[in-house]
Amino acid sequence: QVQLVESGGGLGQPGGSLRLSCAASGGIVRIGDMAWYRQAPGKQRELVATITSDRNTRYADSVKGRFTISRDNAKNTVYLQMNSLKPEDTAVYYCNADLFGSGGRANNYWGQGTQVTVSS
């Protein structure tokens, strides 16, 4: 069963750091583009950062210079390093990825989400 499993969320202090991880498993041959999204209470889900298979990255303006997305293809894992946290970063963070199985076709998957709360 193909799945994405996030970890690393929790409570962070303003100005502090958290690191999210998202591991893909379940018969995956390779991983294409990966991304992190977030959804705050009462708001729509928004794109936070993306990383392509050749490690090109893009960021939402709200997190540029503070967040860093990276990937370890050997571990089928994408990371989101979040520094200089702000209360407005509070949200459920979701991992998203295009995962290729043995048939050579990619399907898009979402993780279950991990809560990040920034508060003193």
Side-chain angles (χ1 to χ4, degrees):
Q1 179 180 353
V2 177
Q3 60 180 349
L4 295 171
V5 178
E6 297 109 337
S7 60
L11 178 64
Q13 292 194 340
S17 299
L18 286 172
R19 189 192 194 206
L20 305 182
S21 300
C22 173
S25 62
I28 299 163
V29 174
R30 73 180 175 92
I31 303 177
D33 295 350
M34 306 181 83
W36 287 96
Y37 289 75
R38 67 186 181 186
Q39 187 167 18
K43 294 188 177 181
Q44 290 189 331
R45 189 173 297 187
E46 63 173 354
L47 180 64
V48 175
T50 64
I51 185 166
T52 65
S53 55
D54 52 0
R55 292 184 167 81
N56 290 317
T57 59
R58 294 180 63 185
Y59 297 91
D61 288 343
S62 58
V63 307
K64 278 182 184 176
R66 301 189 299 120
F67 290 9
T68 302
I69 189 172
S70 61
R71 61 192 288 165
D72 184 334
N73 290 335
K75 295 182 179 180
N76 290 337
T77 300
V78 63
Y79 304 96
L80 186 68
Q81 178 67 43
M82 304 185 294
N83 298 329
S84 302
L85 287 168
K86 302 177 180 181
E88 50 264 42
D89 294 322
T90 296
V92 178
Y93 284 71
Y94 296 91
C95 174
N96 179 272
D98 293 327
L99 305 179
F100 290 80
S102 58
R105 189 181 72 175
N107 290 304
N108 187 261
Y109 291 87
W110 289 92
Q112 82 284 1
T114 185
Q115 176 70 45
V116 170
T117 302
V118 182
S119 174
S120 56

